[in-house]
Amino acid sequence: MKLRARLAVATILVMVPMTFALFWYDGAAKHRAAEQNLTEFVLGQMPTVREACEAAPSSFGGELRPSRLPGPPRGNRPPPGPPRPRGARPAVVHAYDESLHSANPDAPTIPEALARDIREQDVAIVAYVLPTSSVEILARMPWGTGPCAYVLARGTTDPTWGAVLPESNIWLLPTVAVFAAMLLALGPVVRRIRKLTEAVERSASATYADAVLIEGDDEIGVLGRAFNAAGREIRSQLEEKDRREQALRHFLANTTHDVMIPLTVLQGHLATLREDAAAGKPVDVDALVSAMDEAHYMASLVHNLAATARLEAADVNLQRCEVDLEALVKRVVGRHKPIAKQLGVSVETAVPGEPVTVSADVTLLEQAISNVTYNAVRYNRPGGHVAVILERVAKEGFRLRVVDDGPGIPEAELSRLAERGFRGNEARSRAPDGQGLGLHITHRAAELHGFRLTLRPSEYGGLEVELEGKLDAPVG
């Protein structure tokens, strides 16, 4: 159902009972006024006709009009009843004795409800649910005895007694006019709502790139501005979703390209080893070492790609905990010693005698240090050396250095080593299809933890990577 139709129905549902209640109140007011006037009229006129009633009770009854019969002196007369309105019908009365029986055979039987109520009050009135035009009362006369002790009177409501509404139904016209004016006033509101609907549909079809232009300070304008705010939030979420999807696609592409080459080399080495074993030849140590090297390289690639996908998310949440840097360094060195031994590279470590604890994301920090150590081992020469040194700086800081005596990096390339995708000449010759993620991950992890990463030529001819920070480093 359309809004205008719904509002019209709602208005009708409200106006109909209100109009009915107004009619009922008007009818009840007329009925109460008629009851009061009929009671006063009967009590005022009956003293003037009492003698006639008691003289001939069997024939007394019918219409009661103001009596012109002579009566007692004016000073002894009861006050006359209120004047009947012009055009009002006279009351129809019948007299009854103390036992509520009438000597007139034409008199109606007193209703049981009136007979019960008159025992406790002087005037009993017929109760009603819906007010009608007829009024019926049973009144106890002041004298209280004789054949005219009680009088049953019937009359009708009069338009001029107790009227709330005008006698003519012309008053309904303003009500209809108000109803029509309300429907007309709803027209602009409905048009603005339709305009808002069309603007929302256009914005939705444009992926919420277009703003909803609804002016005004009313509820519809507020709704339009609320939709614009929601649209901005949706666009932000869509952009975040696109970034995540892009990171996932990048991760898959990197995984495919970086893993396929060492995997192919590994398969070749394993095939050679299988053929030699089948022919009874001794194990080719060089092939075995190369196979282990490629397997270690692929594992490092997978870890780096996973770390890169995490770091490229719009909102990086560090899972901080207390990290023992001494234990972390020992794990990293222990992980790289087997491949270093096969390559003929010596890996040594030095740690302070006191604990070095820092609040950090242990997985990310360990991957960062592992990348630096891995580069120092892999790109070194046979017979080379790598040293991983952890030391405290004063009381609130630490310094971690990874030093090697390998080929080194040209001065022109040092400043770009931490860039994503940049790879030095020596690294480029080892794996030409690699993505250059290792030092980029280390740089990003240091940045997030609030640490400082420095790359400089080693005094031994290779590269020295230094990671320095405070033990209570804040979130970057």
Side-chain angles (χ1 to χ4, degrees):
M1 183 183 294
K2 297 295 185 180
L3 178 61
R4 181 177 292 184
R6 184 176 299 178
L7 291 175
V9 171
T11 304
I12 291 174
L13 292 178
V14 172
M15 292 185 63
V16 167
M18 289 183 62
T19 304
F20 174 79
L22 188 59
F23 273 111
W24 184 92
Y25 183 76
D26 180 69
K30 290 180 179 179
H31 204 280
R32 286 193 299 270
E35 292 169 357
Q36 181 180 359
N37 281 276
L38 182 60
T39 301
E40 294 178 356
F41 180 77
V42 169
L43 293 177
Q45 292 297 318
M46 280 303 297
T48 64
V49 296
R50 175 184 176 183
E51 294 180 0
C53 176
E54 292 179 347
S58 59
S59 61
F60 182 83
E63 293 184 354
L64 178 64
R65 298 178 181 275
S67 175
R68 298 179 179 275
L69 297 176
R74 180 173 297 275
N76 296 329
R77 294 181 186 178
R84 299 282 288 179
R86 182 179 301 177
R89 297 179 59 186
V92 177
V93 299
H94 294 88
Y96 298 82
D97 58 15
E98 295 93 328
S99 60
L100 300 181
H101 291 91
S102 177
N104 188 341
D106 295 331
T109 302
I110 295 178
E112 183 179 353
L114 290 180
R116 182 178 60 252
D117 294 343
I118 199 63
R119 302 299 182 185
E120 301 176 356
Q121 53 195 25
D122 293 334
V123 179
I125 302 173
V126 175
Y128 62 86
V129 177
L130 296 176
T132 61
S133 60
S134 62
V135 181
E136 186 174 12
I137 66 169
L138 178 62
R140 188 198 309 270
M141 294 297 101
W143 47 90
T145 58
C148 301
Y150 294 90
V151 172
L152 178 67
R154 292 175 176 173
T156 59
T157 58
D158 191 271
T160 60
W161 285 352
V164 175
L165 299 177
E167 182 177 357
S168 172
N169 289 332
I170 193 67
W171 65 272
L172 288 173
L173 291 179
T175 305
V176 175
V178 170
F179 177 65
M182 186 184 63
L183 291 182
L184 292 176
L186 288 174
V189 177
V190 173
R191 283 193 296 272
R192 295 194 67 200
I193 293 177
R194 289 176 179 172
K195 184 179 178 181
L196 176 62
T197 302
E198 295 172 357
V200 169
E201 291 175 350
R202 287 194 303 268
S203 179
S205 62
T207 319
Y208 303 99
D210 298 335
V212 175
L213 300 178
I214 297 295
E215 299 178 354
D217 295 330
D218 58 359
E219 287 77 2
I220 298 178
V222 173
L223 180 60
R225 289 190 290 273
F227 180 84
N228 286 334
R232 289 191 295 270
E233 180 64 24
I234 292 174
R235 287 196 300 273
S236 176
Q237 294 179 1
L238 290 176
E239 292 172 357
E240 171 63 17
K241 175 176 173 292
D242 292 340
R243 285 193 294 267
R244 291 180 182 273
E245 290 180 352
Q246 181 64 28
L248 178 60
R249 287 192 294 268
H250 201 81
F251 173 79
L252 293 176
N254 287 341
T255 302
T256 301
H257 288 86
D258 281 6
V259 173
M260 285 306 297
I261 292 178
L263 181 61
T264 303
V265 175
L266 176 61
Q267 288 174 341
H269 289 316
L270 293 177
T272 301
L273 291 173
R274 184 181 62 181
E275 292 173 357
D276 292 345
K281 297 180 180 180
V283 176
D284 187 346
V285 177
D286 292 337
L288 182 59
V289 170
S290 181
M292 292 179 60
D293 185 22
E294 297 301 332
H296 192 79
Y297 178 62
M298 283 191 296
S300 178
L301 280 177
V302 172
H303 285 300
N304 279 342
L305 291 170
T308 301
R310 178 184 174 190
L311 292 174
E312 287 184 349
D315 186 13
V316 181
N317 293 320
L318 298 181
Q319 305 298 322
R320 287 182 177 270
C321 63
E322 294 296 324
V323 179
D324 184 354
L325 287 181
E326 181 177 343
L328 188 149
V329 167
K330 290 181 178 180
R331 285 198 306 270
V332 170
V333 171
R335 185 179 303 125
H336 289 83
K337 272 191 174 183
I339 187 63
K341 182 179 179 181
Q342 298 298 332
L343 295 175
V345 177
S346 173
V347 180
E348 302 296 336
T349 182
V351 295
E354 53 183 335
V356 181
T357 305
V358 66
S359 176
D361 187 316
V362 61
T363 303
L364 191 57
L365 185 59
E366 185 167 343
Q367 183 66 29
I369 298 175
S370 180
N371 285 342
V372 177
T373 307
Y374 173 79
N375 287 343
V377 171
R378 173 163 293 278
Y379 302 129
N380 212 320
R381 63 181 184 277
H385 302 81
V386 175
V388 182
I389 306 168
L390 175 65
E391 54 188 349
R392 296 196 62 158
V393 178
K395 293 183 179 181
E396 300 179 352
F398 73 92
R399 180 186 297 116
L400 176 67
R401 294 185 296 150
V402 179
V403 186
D404 68 78
D405 56 358
I409 301 293
E411 289 282 350
E413 295 181 357
L414 276 178
S415 61
R416 300 189 58 196
L417 278 181
E419 296 180 10
R420 190 187 191 285
F422 180 79
R423 309 176 74 249
N425 291 327
E426 188 65 25
R428 196 175 296 117
S429 64
R430 167 64 182 87
D433 290 331
Q435 298 296 324
L437 302 176
L439 286 177
H440 170 72
I441 292 173
T442 303
H443 172 74
R444 181 72 175 127
E447 184 180 49
L448 290 173
H449 284 88
F451 301 153
R452 183 174 69 251
L453 180 68
T454 306
L455 286 79
R456 64 174 67 93
S458 168
E459 58 181 310
Y460 305 103
L463 180 67
E464 179 178 345
V465 180
E466 181 182 278
L467 186 65
E468 188 176 8
K470 293 184 178 180
L471 298 181
D472 57 347
V475 179

